[in-house]
Amino acid sequence: QVRLVESGGGLVQAGDSLRLSCAASGRTIIMYAMAWFRQAPGKEREFVGSVNWRQGRTDYADSVKGRFAIARDNVKDTLDLEMSSLEPEDTGVYYCAAMTSGVGAYNIWGQGTQVTVSS
């Protein structure tokens, strides 16, 4: 089956930048959309941003607009999450997800990568 692997997490200071990467491996399946989610300690998983190739649009959560950006790395063949001006509130486990059908649900998930932002 298709697997998603996130990388790039780590411990940074407030105001720093990080670039997370999501790589897919396994069977080749059409991807209608891919997204990034995060889950802070003691909180529910929340949407961060997504790119939908089927609809031709990119979306971001209000909390990260202007600071985060999803970008395709054509050299590494990954979908990256570029994060800047990081804040302690951005701390959490970041997950990559893929939508492989036109239903509208993300059905493939990675294991996550930890991002910790100190004040």
Side-chain angles (χ1 to χ4, degrees):
Q1 64 274 17
V2 176
R3 295 191 303 171
L4 298 179
V5 180
E6 305 94 337
S7 63
L11 174 63
V12 298
Q13 298 180 187
D16 284 355
S17 299
L18 269 181
R19 183 174 182 131
L20 307 182
S21 295
C22 177
S25 63
R27 295 186 178 88
T28 300
I29 302 177
I30 185 171
M31 301 289 187
Y32 290 98
M34 293 187 72
W36 285 93
F37 291 78
R38 68 185 182 187
Q39 186 169 24
K43 300 181 65 177
E44 296 182 348
R45 185 174 299 182
E46 65 176 343
F47 171 81
V48 175
S50 67
V51 55
N52 190 311
W53 296 285
R54 184 169 180 268
Q55 298 181 354
R57 61 182 294 171
T58 302
D59 298 288
Y60 298 96
D62 290 338
S63 60
V64 305
K65 286 183 178 178
R67 299 189 300 117
F68 291 10
I70 294 176
R72 173 66 185 271
D73 190 325
N74 293 319
V75 177
K76 299 180 180 179
D77 196 23
T78 59
L79 189 74
D80 298 348
L81 179 66
E82 299 177 336
M83 306 183 293
S84 62
S85 301
L86 285 165
E87 306 168 353
E89 291 73 22
D90 294 317
T91 293
V93 178
Y94 283 69
Y95 299 90
C96 177
M99 183 187 301
T100 61
S101 72
V103 177
Y106 291 96
N107 56 308
I108 304 295
W109 295 79
Q111 292 296 308
T113 183
Q114 177 71 45
V115 173
T116 302
V117 184
S118 63
S119 59

